Structures are given as structure tokens and as C-alpha cells.
Amino acid sequence: MNSNEINTKGEKMKAVVFDMDGVIFDSETLVFRMWKVVAEKYGVADIEETCRACLGINATVTREIFFERYGQDFPYDKYKKEMSDLFHANAAGGKLPKKPGIRELLEYLRRENIKTAVASSTRRDLVTRELEEGGLLSYFDEIVCGDMVSRSKPEPDIYLEACRRLQERPEDCYAIEDSYNGIRSAKRAGMHPIMVPDQAAPTEEMEELADSILPSLHEVQQYIDKNCKKI
């Protein structure tokens, strides 16, 4: 579906479901930086490529990818804790940068009475804390996280659960994503994916799967405003 093809059932889009890392917060940039610090300390090769392979997936699958790339004896838990400690030292207390346009988009959706949810592969306690510290938690009707579903993105489980909790059909919902696995997940769920690239550049596959690929959340607001009034 291209950017000119909207919901053919002629019904207004009812909800927007957001990924968090790389969409709401500029957190993936910080994760990459902190992993680089740890990798340089311990001589871990190709860490940026490994981090990129882990975009959009939950902690369990991320762990498996590290073992596949570095061997079963790789001290993942130790290195991950060091990275997490560095991350939280730089992000705690509302210091985590928000993506440009997120608050304006959420305010717009509230005015338009469009439901909102978060569907993040990150665990719930961290998602809730970061949203609260960033002053954004109250904007969301539902929060669904990686530790609340059995299968990680790119499987559709997390988006299907978000739609179920919102009590809306997937085909009546947008999904805002930055990762390949997130776009795949939303598409498999039957939603309308919009990609706002962060660490991963769009590919031909993403162009085929996404309703639209937009440079920022400012353009997402314009896109939804235009298309919601036509469906």
C-alpha cells in the first residue's frame, strides 16, 4: 500500500499506536553510544551492527542475537548491565531526549479524540518510568510491552494486544515505527504502518510494507490530519 491508499472501508481511523524507542524518545541513539563505550572497554567487535540487528525486538531475542554473534560464553548479562547503568545515568529524571514533534502530535490526537497506545518491546516498568519522567504517560490510553506478550516483533502479538485493549480493529489503527521488525509486526497485525526512520534507513521492503515513510513526527501529524478526514 502506498501513501495515497488509505482505509478502503470508508471509516475514520480510530487509534494510533506508537513504538517507544526511536519514535517517542531518541533512546536508540543513546543505547548505541553506551554499547560502544562497553564494546571499546572489552574489545567487542561490530557492536553497532549487532545493535542494529536488535532494533525493535525484546530482551530475550536480543540476548539470543548476541550469543549467536559472539558465542554462548559471551558475558552478555555483565556487559548489558554496564551498558544499562550508563544509559540510565544519562537518561534518568527526564533527561532522555524526546523526538521532535512528539508532544505536538499527542496533543493533536487528544484534540481529535483519537485513541493512543504504546507498543514497545522494552519491559513495562522501564517504559512506564520513562514516559512518566518525560511527562508523556498521561497521553496514552494503553501501554503494551515486550514482557506482556509471548512473541516479539516482528510477530504481530504486541500490536494485536494493543488494538484489543483499545477495543479497535487493527485495520482502523495506525502504527508509528522506526524499525524494520516494528513495521513488519504492525503490517502482520493488519494495521496501517507509518515509518519514521531513526537508526535504520528505509529499504525496498519497508517501502512496500509501510503506508508511508516520513522524515519526522511533524509530517506524521500532517499525514494523519489529511488522511483521517478522507476516511
Side-chain angles (χ1 to χ4, degrees):
M1 179 180 288
N2 62 43
S3 60
N4 295 317
E5 294 180 284
I6 313 303
N7 188 342
T8 57
K9 297 183 182 297
E11 299 177 2
K12 184 173 180 177
M13 200 63 64
K14 304 292 180 59
V16 178
V17 184
F18 293 78
D19 178 40
M20 187 180 78
D21 295 305
V23 173
I24 295 174
F25 294 110
D26 193 14
S27 46
E28 287 174 349
T29 300
L30 183 57
V31 168
F32 276 43
R33 280 174 46 209
M34 298 303 96
W35 263 121
K36 285 180 182 178
V37 171
V38 174
E40 289 174 5
K41 178 179 178 181
Y42 294 107
V44 180
D46 303 320
I47 193 65
E48 187 166 344
E49 181 182 342
T50 302
C51 288
R52 212 173 296 282
C54 297
L55 291 173
I57 58 178
N58 66 20
T60 300
V61 181
T62 295
R63 198 168 187 269
E64 292 171 357
I65 288 175
F66 270 80
F67 286 144
E68 287 172 4
R69 287 174 176 252
Y70 300 115
Q72 292 299 313
D73 59 346
F74 182 77
Y76 175 77
D77 293 333
K78 174 186 175 182
Y79 293 176
K80 172 66 185 309
K81 184 180 185 306
E82 288 196 28
M83 186 283 295
S84 296
D85 289 346
L86 289 169
F87 178 90
H88 294 305
N90 286 274
K95 291 184 291 186
L96 190 60
K98 300 176 189 68
K99 298 294 281 189
I102 183 59
R103 192 179 294 276
E104 293 88 341
L105 176 55
L106 290 170
E107 289 282 3
Y108 163 79
L109 295 172
R110 176 179 282 179
R111 290 195 304 271
E112 296 294 320
N113 295 313
I114 298 172
K115 296 177 184 178
T116 55
V118 171
S120 172
S121 296
T122 303
R123 67 184 191 275
R124 184 178 176 86
D125 63 332
L126 183 55
V127 169
T128 303
R129 183 168 75 245
E130 289 182 355
L131 289 172
E132 186 171 21
E133 290 179 348
L136 299 177
L137 184 61
S138 63
Y139 286 100
F140 296 100
D141 300 297
E142 296 290 341
I143 307 289
V144 184
C145 302
D147 53 358
M148 297 168 64
V149 293
S150 58
R151 298 187 301 175
S152 177
K153 301 174 185 178
E155 299 302 329
D157 302 38
I158 196 166
Y159 276 112
L160 290 173
E161 179 63 13
C163 292
R164 185 189 72 79
R165 287 172 178 252
L166 289 169
Q167 299 184 323
E168 300 294 350
R169 301 182 305 172
E171 58 264 37
D172 294 332
C173 302
Y174 286 117
I176 314 300
E177 272 284 357
D178 67 302
S179 73
Y180 304 155
N181 284 324
I183 292 292
R184 292 167 185 144
S185 175
K187 188 68 173 181
R188 291 176 186 178
M191 300 171 72
H192 294 266
I194 295 176
M195 185 178 190
V196 182
D198 184 45
Q199 297 295 324
T203 62
E204 185 175 340
E205 179 195 7
M206 294 300 104
E207 291 175 357
E208 293 175 357
L209 294 180
D211 277 30
S212 187
I213 299 174
L214 300 171
S216 78
L217 296 175
H218 295 295
E219 283 78 12
V220 170
Q221 179 176 333
Q222 296 166 13
Y223 178 89
I224 292 175
D225 186 62
K226 176 183 177 182
N227 293 325
C228 275
K229 294 181 180 356
K230 290 189 173 183
I231 56 180

